[in-house]
């Protein structure tokens, strides 16, 4: 879908300003390997990155390899990730996905959306995070609560589901920015565009945001 010149200009202005505001933006989940990132991303569902980062140091010290996670005792793992919430489903997904990685992918993290989403407990959002951060492969745009909220406020989408929001964003955002765009929006959402009380008077995007009058 071709963008109008005005729409394209606004999109580029927003990207340019976010890039300037957050030059060091990166994935907030602390990890050393692609598999650690996969585990962290599974844990981050309905949980803050900060909380996940409090849990994973001891977790990754105990479970050093894919094989370690695949052979983990589920009850023990549940206790270790309890504070991230939904710990039963997360433990089950981590163990099951690790087993499939060993059986089908020789313990290596695959680098396609199709293969990643074939793993238990791994959806498109998780696949996008892993591919973008671990492999620098732009397969889509990660849509979390911050990205959803800001995309709607900025007039990028009227959709409410992550998949449809992502579809709209992929039509608007140049592919070269797909990986970083979600990092910029997440940081901007945390710093300025709060869910309840956005700081519009301090926002670098206020003059191009169609929602600014709703909160002023």
């Amino acid at each position: 879908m071709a963008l109008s010149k005005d729409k394209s200009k606004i999109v580029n202005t927003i990207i340019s300003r976010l890039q300037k505001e957050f030059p060091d933006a990166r994935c907030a989940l602390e990890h050393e390997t692609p598999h650690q990132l996969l585990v962290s991303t599974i844990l981050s569902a309905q949980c803050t990155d900060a909380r996940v980062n409090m849990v994973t140091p001891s977790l990754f010290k105990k479970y050093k390899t894919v094989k370690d996670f695949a052979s983990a005792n589920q009850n023990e793992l549940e206790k270790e990730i309890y504070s991230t919430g939904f710990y039963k489903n997360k433990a089950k997904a981590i163990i099951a996905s690790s087993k499939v990685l060993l059986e089908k992918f020789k313990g290596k993290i695959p680098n396609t959306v199709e293969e990643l989403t074939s793993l238990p407990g791994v959806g498109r959002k998780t696949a996008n995070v892993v591919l973008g951060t671990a492999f620098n492969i732009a397969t889509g745009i990660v849509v979390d609560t911050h990205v959803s909220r800001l995309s709607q406020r900025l007039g990028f989408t009227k959709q409410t589901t992550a998949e449809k929001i992502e579809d709209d964003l992929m039509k608007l955002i140049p592919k070269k920015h797909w990986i970083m765009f979600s990092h910029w929006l997440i940081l901007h959402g945390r710093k300025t565009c709060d869910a309840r009380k956005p700081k519009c008077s301090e926002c670098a995007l206020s003059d191009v945001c169609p929602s600014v009058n709703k909160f002023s």
Side-chain angles (χ1 to χ4, degrees):
M1 180 182 73
L3 294 180
S4 67
K5 287 185 178 180
D6 287 344
K7 187 76 168 180
S8 180
K9 185 177 180 181
I10 290 173
V11 169
N12 288 332
T13 296
I14 289 171
I15 289 173
S16 177
R17 292 182 186 177
L18 289 173
Q19 198 169 16
K20 184 177 180 181
E21 187 174 8
F22 305 107
D24 300 318
R26 62 181 179 83
C27 179
L29 294 170
E30 296 172 0
H31 63 282
E32 293 182 358
T33 68
H35 186 248
Q36 286 185 356
L37 177 60
L38 176 63
V39 171
S40 293
T41 308
I42 291 172
L43 292 176
S44 71
Q46 304 298 312
C47 180
T48 65
D49 292 346
R51 167 55 60 183
V52 173
N53 288 339
M54 291 173 66
V55 170
T56 51
S58 59
L59 193 68
F60 294 152
K61 188 174 182 179
K62 179 175 181 179
Y63 304 98
K64 294 181 172 65
T65 66
V66 176
K67 188 175 181 180
D68 289 341
F69 276 107
S71 59
N73 177 281
Q74 185 167 329
N75 287 333
E76 284 185 22
L77 186 56
E78 286 176 5
K79 292 176 184 177
E80 288 156 344
I81 65 172
Y82 177 83
S83 65
T84 68
F86 300 95
Y87 57 94
K88 288 185 179 293
N89 287 338
K90 290 178 181 180
K92 185 178 179 181
I94 290 168
I95 293 170
S97 63
S98 297
K99 287 179 177 178
V100 174
L101 283 172
L102 287 176
E103 294 166 3
K104 293 187 176 181
F105 302 103
K106 298 180 180 179
K108 302 292 184 182
I109 301 294
N111 61 1
T112 69
V113 170
E114 293 74 22
E115 289 173 318
L116 272 171
T117 53
S118 74
L119 300 175
V122 177
R124 182 171 174 84
K125 175 189 170 185
T126 297
N128 282 338
V129 171
V130 173
L131 291 172
T133 299
F135 299 107
N136 199 35
I137 297 174
T139 54
I141 296 174
V142 175
V143 176
D144 73 345
T145 54
H146 293 291
V147 175
S148 297
R149 180 176 74 254
L150 270 67
S151 295
Q152 291 161 350
R153 287 180 177 175
L154 289 168
F156 289 163
T157 185
K158 293 182 180 178
Q159 301 296 334
T160 56
T161 65
E163 286 188 5
K164 290 183 178 180
I165 290 172
E166 184 185 8
D167 286 341
D168 284 349
L169 290 177
M170 288 167 67
K171 294 170 186 174
L172 289 171
I173 308 303
K175 189 171 183 178
K176 64 181 179 180
H177 296 305
W178 283 5
I179 295 172
M180 294 306 301
F181 187 72
S182 59
H183 296 321
W184 293 329
L185 283 195
I186 289 167
L187 289 172
H188 189 64
R190 289 173 178 163
K191 177 185 176 184
T192 306
C193 199
D194 183 76
R196 295 183 179 179
K197 294 183 178 180
K199 303 168 187 173
C200 297
S201 62
E202 303 172 17
C203 182
L205 309 179
S206 59
D207 61 320
V208 291
C209 178
S211 300
V212 65
N213 291 329
K214 296 179 183 179
F215 302 104
S216 58

